[in-house]
Amino acid sequence: MQKAIYTTVELDALLSHVQALKGAGARFVQMHAERNVDDGTYRLVYTFINVRAAQEQIAQDGSYAIENLVVDGIDQYQEIPSISSYYPAVFPFENEAHDLFGLAITDMQIDFKGFFYQVSTAEPMSVITPEVKAAREKAMKVRAAAEAKARKAAAEKAAAAAAAAGEGAGDAAGTAAKPTAAAGSDAQHDEAAAKAALKAAEMEAKLAAMDPEKAAKVRAALAAKAARDKQKKEA
C-alpha cells in the first residue's frame, strides 16, 4: 500500500528541497500544474519516490510513501526555476506547464540554453510576440558573449600565472585568482542585465495585449511589489 505525503514549500526554496531529495536518493515521478479557480494563481506539484526509504518500508510492512512538493500561489508572471539540472526527466512536464498556462519556467538545462523554443503563433502553441522573441534571442547572445569573455579572461590569466611561476607558486596563484574572479563577476553582471531586459520586454508585451484598465491595475501591483522588495533589501 502506498501513501502520499504533501509538503508545501516556497518558490524560492524549491531547488533546495529538490536537491535534498536528490541527495537522499529520491526518483522523480511527475510534475503537474493547475490553476486555482478562486484567485487565478497557479499550483505546481512535484512527485517523487524516496527509493531508499521505500525499500525499507516495503520490507517492513509492504507500504511506501509518495512524496510531493507543492508550490502554491504562483503568479503568472513569476519566474519558476527549472529542476532539470537535478532531474532531466522533468522537461516534458515543465514544457507542458508552460504551453498550457504560459508559466515562465527558467534555466532549462536541456538543449535550450535556459529558454524554451517558442514561435509567434496563436494558441495552442505558446503565444510569443515578435518583440519578446527578439528580446529572448538577444538575451541568449548576451549570455553566450559573457560566458566567452569569462572563459577567455580565465585562460589569459592562467597563462600569465604559468609564465610567472618562477616568481613563486603562491604569488602566481594569487595574481591569477583575482582577475579571474573579476571576469566571472563581469559575466554574471552581463547575464543579470540580460535577464532583467528580457523580463521587462516580456512584461511590456503582455501588458500591451491586455485591456487598458486591467493593464493599469497590473502595473500598479507590480510597482507596489517592487517598492516592497526594495524596502526589504534596504531593511
Side-chain angles (χ1 to χ4, degrees):
M1 183 178 70
Q2 69 182 46
K3 60 181 179 178
I5 299 173
Y6 291 88
T7 304
T8 301
V9 302
E10 296 293 329
L11 183 60
D12 292 343
L14 173 62
L15 291 183
S16 62
H17 282 274
V18 171
Q19 183 180 26
L21 284 168
K22 182 74 173 181
R27 294 182 61 182
F28 173 77
V29 178
Q30 67 175 12
M31 167 264 205
H32 77 270
E34 57 190 45
R35 187 172 183 272
N36 296 319
V37 178
D38 294 337
D39 59 9
T41 60
Y42 295 86
R43 176 186 297 110
L44 296 177
V45 181
Y46 300 81
T47 303
F48 306 84
I49 294 179
N50 192 328
V51 179
R52 297 171 190 168
Q55 289 174 340
E56 294 177 1
Q57 292 170 352
I58 290 172
Q60 291 176 2
D61 58 15
S63 69
Y64 65 95
I66 298 291
E67 299 188 29
N68 300 275
L69 296 181
V70 181
V71 185
D72 216 339
I74 298 174
D75 184 90
Q76 186 177 18
Y77 305 119
Q78 283 183 281
E79 291 188 352
I80 303 164
S82 170
I83 70 167
S84 56
S85 59
Y86 297 104
Y87 293 100
V90 76
F91 162 66
F93 300 95
E94 291 182 336
N95 186 47
E96 181 181 58
H98 174 275
D99 286 348
L100 287 178
F101 300 111
L103 297 179
I105 314 287
T106 62
D107 297 321
M108 291 290 295
Q109 300 298 313
I110 302 189
D111 299 334
F112 302 110
K113 299 185 186 219
F115 295 95
F116 285 99
Y117 175 76
Q118 300 183 20
V119 293
S120 301
T121 59
E123 294 179 349
M125 297 295 291
S126 303
V127 181
I128 305 299
T129 66
E131 292 79 13
V132 171
K133 189 171 185 290
R136 293 192 172 187
E137 291 173 350
K138 181 179 179 180
M140 292 177 70
K141 290 179 181 178
V142 170
R143 175 183 293 181
E147 291 175 348
K149 179 180 177 182
R151 286 194 298 270
K152 181 179 178 182
E156 290 175 349
K157 300 309 175 183
E167 299 178 6
D171 292 340
T175 301
K178 292 180 181 178
T180 301
S185 179
D186 288 342
Q188 291 172 356
H189 179 272
D190 291 343
E191 184 175 348
K195 284 186 176 181
L198 170 61
K199 189 174 182 179
E202 289 179 331
M203 180 57 66
E204 285 303 320
K206 290 174 179 177
L207 290 172
M210 288 183 186
D211 174 79
E213 184 176 349
K214 182 178 180 180
K217 292 180 180 179
V218 173
R219 288 182 189 278
L222 291 173
K225 184 178 184 299
R228 290 194 300 271
D229 292 342
K230 184 178 180 181
Q231 289 178 348
K232 289 180 180 179
K233 289 181 179 180
E234 295 175 348

